[in-house]
Amino acid sequence: MLPSLNDPIAAIATAPGRGAVGIVRVSGRGLDSLAQALTGRSLKPREARYGPFRDVEGSPIDHGLALFFPAPHSFTGEDVLELQAHGGPVVLQLLLARCLAAGAEVDPGTGQPRLARLRIAQPGEFTERAFHNDKIDLAQAEAIADLIDASTEAAARSASRSLSGEFSGEIHGLRDALIHLRMLVEATLDFPEEEIDFLQKADAQGQLARLQQALARVMQRARQGALLREGIKVVIAGQPNAGKSSLLNALAGAELAIVTPVAGTTRDVVAQTLQIEGVPLHVMDTAGLRDSHDEVEKIGIERAWGQIETADAVLFLHDLTRSDTPDYIAEEGRITLGMAQKLSRKVPVIDVWNKLDAVPAAPTRPGVMLSARSGQGLEALRRRLLEVAGWQAAPEGVFIARERHVQALRRVDEHLQLAAAHLAAQARLLDVLAEELRLAQNALNEITGEFTSDDLLGVIFSSFCIGK
């Protein structure tokens, strides 16, 4: 039998491992009796009470704080009991087991089990209940996970704005304008015999144009937010001894990869996540691209090409000290041809000319010229990477967004473009116009969860940790 959202649930809400404090959380209906069994007293709403957490015989498992949040004034919208104990894994497991056992015990006052169906929560089930009980919408629920997973300060701040409802407010504003426009179209469809053109009198074209402009602004901020959350994958590629590992170390500011004068030192992918202006960059240092008879190096080269195929951007590293030699030039041409064949989609390739410090009189080349050893030119490369990523100076209004949000907004844009074309046509197909506006509204509603399949909800909340 599938778990029911009506069952009371319990889980350890803090991260696995040892800590000063750990929390066991329970959510459901009628938790007063359970709180009494665990703490030996009645709990006042939203008032922290210190005392023992008792086992079935009344002996203390631990001492800590108990908090009771009665419905609907809680995170989930149900009664919520939080037990804050010492953060040892054994203590928390004992406390969780006691909660489950106490739920099955008979309440002396009623003669019935306190919480007969109390069970362990599924991943993300506390947040899912908050969504189903209208405490938060789907975009806010996703922002909780994004705030927890944020890898940069900018991502955390943007996720916090989404959690506070800023992103949802923008979506609701677009939806309200769209509903008003749909009302005008439906009025024209309902009263075709009227001489008054509702659409022209209400400036429907102007309203639609303003809606498209507002959508464009939201899309721009959402794309920036998605970039803060996802980042981009950057692959450093080139011939052996071009300085790929040195460049990774210079960008990271740490000795992550081994650097030697021996060609073919890097035989596997070395990955590191960096950040530039809060944007995560997942940088891959790969084996030098060349023909090799060494079986281990050949595997590394195959993996390098595999990384190039899935890159969002490629740093093609050139060695200025060898750039005029015939063999080197021939190999560069072979690599360039290989990239053209591997990169079936449009992936930006940035030419990076390294070892500038070793060739003081080097002519200017197209791309970025730098020295990974001295750091000269690194800032220019960082700016170029941000430009390739599509990042703009982060305004305070950027909110965290996911790829599904960006895709939904693109569908809204497509439907509004078709609606504008029908509205401007001489022979208006009002029923088709109305349908495009309806589809645009459905795409907007998918973002906040007002029009969302159960399958999508399952995917979203299953990615949460247990206890959240």
Side-chain angles (χ1 to χ4, degrees), residues 185-186 189 415 418-423 427-440:
V185 175
E186 296 292 342
L189 284 169
H415 290 304
L418 292 172
H422 288 301
L423 189 57
R428 291 177 181 165
L429 300 175
L430 294 182
D431 53 343
V432 179
L433 171 60
E435 178 63 9
E436 293 296 343
L437 294 178
R438 185 188 70 81
L439 293 173

Side-chain angles (χ1 to χ4, degrees), residues 314-334:
V314 176
L315 299 182
F316 188 2
L317 206 61
H318 308 274
D319 184 347
L320 282 170
T321 64
R322 295 181 285 161
S323 60
D324 293 330
T325 60
D327 289 347
Y328 186 85
I329 293 172
E331 191 66 16
E332 293 276 88
R334 189 182 70 81

Side-chain angles (χ1 to χ4, degrees), residues 1 10 28 39 67 76 93 162 179 199 203 205 245 256 264-265 289 322 328 333 340 369-370 404 419 428 432 435 441:
M1 181 182 296
T39 66
L67 287 143
T76 63
Q93 287 292 345
S162 290
I179 289 174
L199 300 181
D203 187 26
Q205 282 185 307
S245 297
L256 302 175
T265 299
L289 303 176
R322 295 181 285 161
Y328 186 85
M369 301 186 69
L370 57 76
R404 80 168 192 92
R428 291 177 181 165
V432 179
E435 178 63 9
Q441 184 179 342

Side-chain angles (χ1 to χ4, degrees), residues 362-378:
T364 302
R365 309 279 184 144
V368 179
M369 301 186 69
L370 57 76
S371 167
R373 176 180 294 178
S374 69
Q376 181 184 357
L378 279 180

